[in-house]
């Protein structure tokens, strides 16, 4: 099914926004989590704590690495101390089949997705900027900001675009 890979992304988004729970990495990371492996990767190397704090505008705890399947990895940050329940920032990188269809699939789920130009990668964001997605032929990258919304969606898209460019390059 063409949208079969969207389910793991949505499951990750639900878990990352606090509607699910995870005690951390469900699967061990391989010794070489390279682009060619297609398995779990440490996406916290792409979205660092300083990045998350700059995006959220508040101090955060350390990033929590999570895996729902071996084809996706999420790094989740929450404010520290938790100022508003549910506020978080989660970056997911997907490496599975149909990765090149991620933007098309997300447009079906988020009707207000608009293209983001000038990043050097295929990218889209929601009108409020709280959801950002990009892709190449090997990986897809999605960032979700929960509860809080970016003050300037275009500037935020550039910040996230820089993170996703690194994640897509591997």
């Amino acid at each position: 099914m063409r949208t079969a890979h969207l389910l793991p992304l949505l499951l990750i988004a639900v878990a990352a926004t606090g509607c699910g729970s995870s005690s951390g990495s469900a699967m061990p990371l391989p010794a070489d989590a390279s682009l060619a492996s297609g398995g779990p990767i440490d996406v916290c190397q792409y979205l660092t704590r300083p990045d998350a704090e700059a995006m959220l505008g508040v101090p955060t705890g350390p990033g929590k690495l999570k895996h729902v399947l071996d084809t996706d990895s999420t790094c989740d940050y929450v404010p520290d101390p938790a100022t508003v329940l549910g506020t978080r920032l989660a970056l997911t990188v997907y490496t599975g089949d149909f990765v090149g269809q991620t933007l098309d699939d997300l447009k079906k789920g988020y009707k207000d997705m608009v293209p983001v130009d000038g990043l050097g990668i295929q990218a889209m964001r929601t009108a409020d900027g709280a959801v950002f997605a990009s892709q190449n032929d090997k990986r897809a990258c999605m960032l979700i900001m929960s509860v809080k919304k970016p003050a300037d969606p275009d500037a935020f898209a550039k910040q996230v675009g820089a993170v996703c460019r690194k994640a897509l390059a591997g």
Side-chain angles (χ1 to χ4, degrees), residues 2 31 38 60 73 94 103 128 130 138 161 165 168:
R2 182 167 190 248
T60 71
S73 303
Y94 175 74
L103 296 181
D128 65 6
K138 303 273 189 226
R165 252 193 328 271
L168 293 177

Side-chain angles (χ1 to χ4, degrees), residues 26-86:
M27 291 180 262
L29 289 177
D32 176 19
S34 67
L35 182 65
S37 75
I41 55 175
D42 180 359
V43 296
C44 292
Q45 69 181 313
Y46 304 119
L47 180 66
T48 65
R49 190 173 183 176
D51 292 333
E53 290 175 345
M55 290 177 186
L56 285 171
V58 296
T60 71
K64 293 191 172 137
L65 185 61
K66 302 174 185 181
H67 305 287
V68 174
L69 300 172
D70 66 352
T71 57
D72 56 59
S73 303
T74 296
C75 187
D76 186 28
Y77 289 91
V78 297
D80 184 30
T83 51
V84 177
L85 189 63

Side-chain angles (χ1 to χ4, degrees), residues 34-35 46 93 121 136 138-139 163-170:
S34 67
L35 182 65
Y46 304 119
V93 176
I121 55 176
N136 62 20
K138 303 273 189 226
R139 289 184 175 184
V163 170
C164 281
R165 252 193 328 271
K166 291 186 288 185
L168 293 177

Side-chain angles (χ1 to χ4, degrees), residues 24-162:
S25 181
M27 291 180 262
L29 289 177
D32 176 19
S34 67
L35 182 65
S37 75
I41 55 175
D42 180 359
V43 296
C44 292
Q45 69 181 313
Y46 304 119
L47 180 66
T48 65
R49 190 173 183 176
D51 292 333
E53 290 175 345
M55 290 177 186
L56 285 171
V58 296
T60 71
K64 293 191 172 137
L65 185 61
K66 302 174 185 181
H67 305 287
V68 174
L69 300 172
D70 66 352
T71 57
D72 56 59
S73 303
T74 296
C75 187
D76 186 28
Y77 289 91
V78 297
D80 184 30
T83 51
V84 177
L85 189 63
T87 299
R88 59 189 354 103
L89 192 68
L91 177 76
T92 298
V93 176
Y94 175 74
T95 59
D97 293 337
F98 309 111
V99 73
Q101 299 170 349
T102 300
L103 296 181
D104 288 338
D105 290 345
L106 285 172
K107 282 191 279 188
K108 293 174 187 172
Y110 294 96
K111 300 298 183 191
D112 64 340
M113 293 291 276
V114 297
V116 178
D117 298 321
L119 298 178
I121 55 176
Q122 289 182 310
M124 300 190 85
R125 67 168 175 82
T126 53
D128 65 6
V131 177
F132 177 96
S134 59
Q135 70 183 37
N136 62 20
D137 61 339
K138 303 273 189 226
R139 289 184 175 184
C141 178
M142 184 168 81
L143 185 129
I144 296 177
M145 179 184 281
S146 300
V147 178
K148 184 176 180 170
K149 304 296 181 224
D152 182 343
D154 291 325
F156 186 72
K158 287 182 181 169
Q159 280 182 295
V160 179

